[in-house]
Amino acid sequence: MNGTKRKAKKKSHHHLNRPNRPNLAAIISAVTATANSFLSQNDLTLLPSQTLALESLIASTSHSLSTFLSLLPKPFDPLSLPPSLPPPQPQCWFRRFLSAANTDSRWLHAFRMSQPSFSQLLDQLSPSLRSALPQIAPDCALAAAIFRLAHGASYAAVARRFGISLAESCRAFFAVCKAVTNKLGHLFELRTNSERVVVGFGWSSSLPNCVGVLGLDKFAIESKILGEDGFLMVQALVDSEGRFLDVSAGWPSTLKPETVLRQSKLFLEIEESRELLQGPSYKFSDGSLIPQYVLGDSCYPLLPWLLTPYNRVNEEDSFGSAERAFNCAHARAMGLVGDAFGRLRIRWQILSDLRKWKGECVEYLPYVIVTCCLLHNFLIKCNEPMPVKEVTIVEKERADDVASDGVVDENAMRIRDALAMHLSRANLRG
């Protein structure tokens, strides 16, 4: 008798402690519905980064809830699941955003630029966008693409906010990228305003006749087509104010930096066609002349127009004062490349370090990078505030001061030595 009671008590106790899974699902469902309602009512008050994060959490929770309910024993009366996304408003987010009294700070959060800068950009791109996208208003197409670049938002998230279809969201993005590269290409000023660049380096860095700083950055991809930790490289020439002067994007990580350099349009226009860096030489106080040149990272070869830092041949070797002065100025200048790429990634989150591009999308990445670089230059021209740099420079592959054929370029060494002596004398005067 007592044994029967103990069994019954144990069974009852087990029943009471078993989780009430339908009630748990109901609670999760109610919380998700509340979050959806909150998002729907406050999508103009919250920052875009906040609404995107909340949407992602709601969608993830709804998916998990559906999976949980599918595991419950049958028969089961399914709960009415909340939608994974907030219900659509009578008017899309973008039109309501335009109607609201928005300050420049709201525009900066949403589109990384003030309303006047957006209007100026729209004026330049509208004819191209009307031709390419007759079914979408130019301001909507431009804002949708800029929003995706700024936040790394999915095409679906963009479509919801701008009242367009998924396919239209994709078409608008690439139409804007094409319009930017076609209409703003002159903002890569190496070929159009190199005199300004030379003056800028002479004034800010005491580097006479310098026409830019050349470096590389890496963009991770998910595909293993380039190996386990494959990436695409971007070679960029940057001026003293952080503008991009020349960009060559999409080089596979299987190539050496010197190979990238020699196959780039920049190299061909300097070495073969002689279209670039043909300005007058600069005369130092000791009478030596230095032609126009570019500073390059040590992963590049030392050339008469591409000056890399001094490297020790042996560990016990030490640098003289001129070599130290040059390497110090060189290191400061190379920081301009890291700063430019860092600000590019912060402003345009589609290029964030936290994001890896999927294999099927890799072919579009160079196109997107060039678009972001041109917009970066456009916003500098509009005097938009620079985003704060929060990323570190990736350590690059090192190389010797020896050309690929193993022969030291004597003329390049002479030019670098002359600049090093000038910088050393300037340090003593300073």
Side-chain angles (χ1 to χ4, degrees), residues 21 28 42 65 69-70 73 100 102 105 121 129 184 193 199 203 251 262 291 335 341 345 372-373 394:
R21 288 175 289 186
I28 296 173
N42 295 278
L65 182 58
L69 292 177
S70 70
N102 286 302
S105 65
L121 183 61
L129 297 180
L184 301 184
N193 196 8
V199 170
W203 176 261
W251 299 95
R262 293 185 182 278
F341 274 118
R345 292 176 184 273
C372 290
C373 290
V394 178

Side-chain angles (χ1 to χ4, degrees), residues 377-404:
N377 287 1
F378 172 80
L379 294 180
I380 291 178
K381 189 175 181 179
C382 292
N383 295 314
E384 292 287 352
M386 280 281 197
V388 178
K389 178 179 174 290
E390 297 174 349
V391 299
T392 56
I393 303 171
V394 178
E395 186 66 23
K396 314 254 189 341
E397 180 182 341
R398 312 304 291 181
D400 297 328
D401 297 343
V402 180
S404 58

Side-chain angles (χ1 to χ4, degrees), residues 82-334:
S84 59
L85 295 167
Q89 295 270 12
Q91 197 175 34
C92 72
W93 171 85
F94 178 57
R95 293 304 169 196
R96 289 183 288 115
F97 177 88
L98 292 180
S99 299
N102 286 302
T103 61
D104 274 353
S105 65
R106 301 297 295 184
W107 273 87
L108 286 170
H109 282 302
F111 302 108
R112 303 296 192 256
M113 64 185 76
S114 63
Q115 188 172 11
S117 294
F118 180 87
S119 297
Q120 185 178 337
L121 183 61
L122 181 62
D123 287 342
Q124 296 188 44
L125 303 185
S126 281
S128 298
L129 297 180
R130 285 196 183 94
S131 175
L133 303 164
Q135 304 301 320
I136 308 175
D139 64 337
C140 179
L142 178 59
I146 295 296
F147 188 92
R148 173 163 160 76
L149 291 171
H151 303 284
S154 67
Y155 288 121
V158 171
R160 286 193 297 273
R161 283 166 174 76
F162 292 86
I164 54 180
S165 69
L166 194 63
E168 288 173 331
S169 173
C170 182
R171 286 200 299 271
F173 180 73
F174 286 104
V176 168
C177 287
K178 182 178 180 180
V180 168
T181 54
N182 288 345
K183 298 295 184 181
L184 301 184
H186 62 280
L187 295 179
F188 288 153
E189 293 185 355
L190 177 64
R191 295 162 182 84
T192 58
N193 196 8
S194 60
E195 294 83 3
R196 178 196 63 78
V197 179
V198 170
V199 170
F201 276 105
W203 176 261
S204 66
S205 307
S206 299
L207 290 167
N209 239 12
C210 181
V211 192
V213 185
L214 190 67
L216 292 166
D217 204 357
K218 305 172 181 179
F219 291 82
I221 59 175
E222 283 186 357
S223 173
K224 294 183 179 180
I225 191 172
L226 298 177
E228 190 66 31
D229 298 311
F231 53 86
L232 292 184
M233 290 186 288
V234 179
Q235 176 180 276
L237 187 70
V238 175
D239 74 2
S240 60
E241 298 177 62
R243 289 182 177 91
F244 291 94
L245 301 173
D246 181 83
V247 176
S248 183
W251 299 95
S253 54
T254 51
L255 295 180
K256 291 183 178 180
E258 182 177 346
T259 304
V260 173
L261 170 68
R262 293 185 182 278
Q263 293 184 8
S264 66
K265 183 180 179 182
L266 176 68
F267 185 88
L268 296 176
E269 291 184 351
I270 295 174
E271 286 278 348
E272 295 187 10
S273 64
R274 306 286 180 179
E275 297 174 44
L276 300 176
L277 275 61
Q278 296 301 305
S281 295
Y282 182 89
K283 188 174 183 178
F284 291 128
S285 58
D286 62 1
S288 58
L289 297 174
I290 183 170
Q292 289 188 337
Y293 63 90
V294 165
L295 294 179
D297 207 349
S298 58
C299 60
Y300 293 120
L302 176 64
L303 300 171
W305 58 269
L306 180 57
L307 304 185
T308 58
Y310 289 97
N311 285 333
R312 290 186 179 91
V313 178
N314 301 304
E315 282 295 323
E316 62 272 13
D317 292 344
S318 60
F319 290 136
S321 59
E323 293 165 329
R324 287 195 300 271
F326 177 85
N327 277 5
C328 184
H330 186 283
R332 286 196 302 269
M334 288 307 304

